[in-house]
Amino acid sequence: MSCCIGIDIGGTNTVIGLIGPDGRIARRAKIATQAADGPDRILDRIAAQVNELLNESGMSKSSVAAIGMGVPGFIDHEQGIAVSSVNLHWKNVPVAEGIRQRLGIPAYINNDVRMYVYGEAAQGAGKGFRHVLGVTVGTGLAAGVVSEGKLYHGGGNMAGELGHIPLEGIPYTCNCGLTGCLETVASATGIVRQAMDRIREGRPTVLRQWFSEETMSRMQAKDISRAYDLGDEVAVEVMNTTGTYLGLGLAYAVTLFSPDVVIIGGGVAAAGERLLAPVREAMKSRLIRNYWDRIRVVTAELGDDAGVIGSGLYAKEREAFRRIQ
């Protein structure tokens, strides 16, 4: 019973991985989530793909300790319920029980970002550190904390919403209703928003050559990185602003949680030092030396595998704990 299965459910795709005793993915599959079909059909497809994965591996269900699933949104991990998952159009869906009934294997769920950070803490950039703070910078911004191998959930399972800390100087209104939320700047959408604002102000930039008014909606964060590499003033300014605000938010988080390592993941992390340099500079200027001198700020190592690995290992630990009770 040393194997487990990890599942990362996204709004577009769902990745399923068979995780071996070494904590690595031995076999994987990706399927379209097709969120519009509703939870029952999605869980049916996931169960069918798990069965197929086991058959291909020549394994029986009895050799799988547990199944873990990372689900976006607010999750009741104790009850195994997706309380509110906007990307999937789910509300109060008993996901863990649904998979257990379909496959006859113990199942557990948690928030997808927490599972990502858990994976990085166990097998990625946080391996070997006792206290890990991880953030994913993608469409939005969220964080997770793993301390001594355990996830921190907070009251109402709402810990980690770093993106919804309002900061002075940020003018944008967030989808949550607040103005100035960190993720309105420190995210892929935030980076593009800042670039578009500067273009509309008439600032000279190579981005004007790449995108017309009609095609500007196709702009992505990676385009700003590309312009940055050409020395484009607007792109450099946007990256510096983004990194500075992210560093400010992380400085608050470091002071509260005192991690040994800060891991930055998600799609925007591909910007590398374009983003990390101002992040580190902002953090250093806002942290007392007792914190700064002992932490490392690094990018994630596992990529999209982090959520799959984290989900599987989390479920395996939960099941092992249940069995000794």
Side-chain angles (χ1 to χ4, degrees):
M1 300 252 312
S2 57
C3 292
C4 55
I5 290 174
I7 302 171
D8 185 14
I9 304 177
T12 302
N13 294 308
T14 293
V15 182
I16 303 166
L18 175 61
I19 301 167
D22 62 353
R24 298 287 178 172
I25 298 176
R27 190 180 290 266
R28 84 184 71 232
K30 179 187 285 189
I31 59 175
T33 302
Q34 299 179 41
D37 288 350
D40 285 334
R41 292 188 63 184
I42 292 173
L43 296 182
D44 284 344
R45 281 196 293 271
I46 289 173
Q49 190 61 58
V50 168
N51 281 326
E52 186 174 329
L53 208 59
L54 291 175
N55 289 336
E56 291 173 355
S57 305
M59 296 178 59
S60 65
K61 292 179 182 178
S62 62
S63 61
V64 178
I67 296 174
M69 290 166 283
V71 181
F74 290 104
I75 306 301
D76 183 338
H77 68 285
E78 292 292 348
Q79 299 299 317
I81 295 171
V83 178
S84 175
S85 184
V86 175
N87 291 350
L88 300 172
H89 315 294
W90 287 2
K91 191 172 181 64
N92 295 320
V93 177
V95 182
E97 179 62 16
I99 287 294
R100 188 197 65 77
Q101 289 181 356
R102 286 167 171 82
L103 292 168
I105 300 172
Y108 300 88
I109 69 169
N110 212 311
N111 170 266
D112 59 341
V113 173
R114 290 198 190 106
M115 294 295 87
Y116 182 100
V117 176
Y118 194 87
E120 284 289 341
Q123 292 290 343
K127 189 173 184 178
F129 292 95
R130 294 173 62 193
H131 309 289
V132 177
L133 168 66
V135 298
T136 57
V137 191
T139 305
L141 172 66
V145 174
V146 179
S147 182
E148 304 283 7
K150 304 295 182 184
L151 277 166
Y152 178 73
H153 293 91
N157 299 310
M158 294 177 68
E161 292 297 330
L162 185 67
H164 293 292
I165 296 178
L167 296 178
E168 187 176 351
I170 297 178
Y172 304 112
T173 299
C174 182
N175 291 332
C176 74
L178 296 176
T179 296
C181 283
L182 178 56
E183 75 170 29
T184 64
V185 170
S187 62
T189 51
I191 288 171
V192 171
R193 179 187 291 117
Q194 294 177 73
M196 287 183 173
D197 280 355
R198 285 160 173 79
I199 290 171
R200 289 174 181 137
E201 289 169 2
R203 295 278 299 277
T205 170
V206 70
L207 294 167
R208 281 181 170 276
Q209 301 170 24
W210 297 348
F211 298 96
S212 65
E213 190 66 38
E214 292 73 26
T215 63
M216 199 179 297
S217 61
R218 301 176 194 169
M219 190 185 302
Q220 299 180 41
K222 64 182 180 182
D223 296 311
I224 287 79
S225 288
R226 187 158 58 102
Y228 179 105
D229 292 341
L230 296 174
D232 184 84
E233 184 177 315
V234 163
V236 171
E237 184 178 300
V238 167
M239 280 297 183
N240 285 340
T241 298
T242 301
T244 298
Y245 274 116
L246 179 57
L248 176 59
L250 288 173
Y252 293 152
V254 166
T255 304
L256 286 172
F257 294 108
S258 189
D260 300 316
V261 63
V262 176
I263 302 171
I264 300 177
V268 173
E273 287 302 314
R274 306 178 190 92
L275 181 69
L276 287 185
V279 165
R280 292 192 184 99
E281 184 177 341
M283 290 179 70
K284 185 176 181 180
S285 68
R286 289 167 173 83
L287 287 170
I288 60 176
R289 288 194 62 179
N290 306 60
Y291 290 112
W292 179 251
D293 288 349
R294 60 175 301 278
I295 64 170
R296 292 183 61 196
V297 181
V298 299
T299 53
E301 294 179 355
L302 300 178
D304 293 340
D305 287 350
V308 176
I309 292 172
S311 298
L313 296 182
Y314 166 78
K316 186 177 179 180
E317 181 194 355
R318 287 280 306 272
E319 180 60 14
F321 183 77
R322 185 190 69 81
R323 286 176 176 272
I324 63 174
Q325 295 305 297

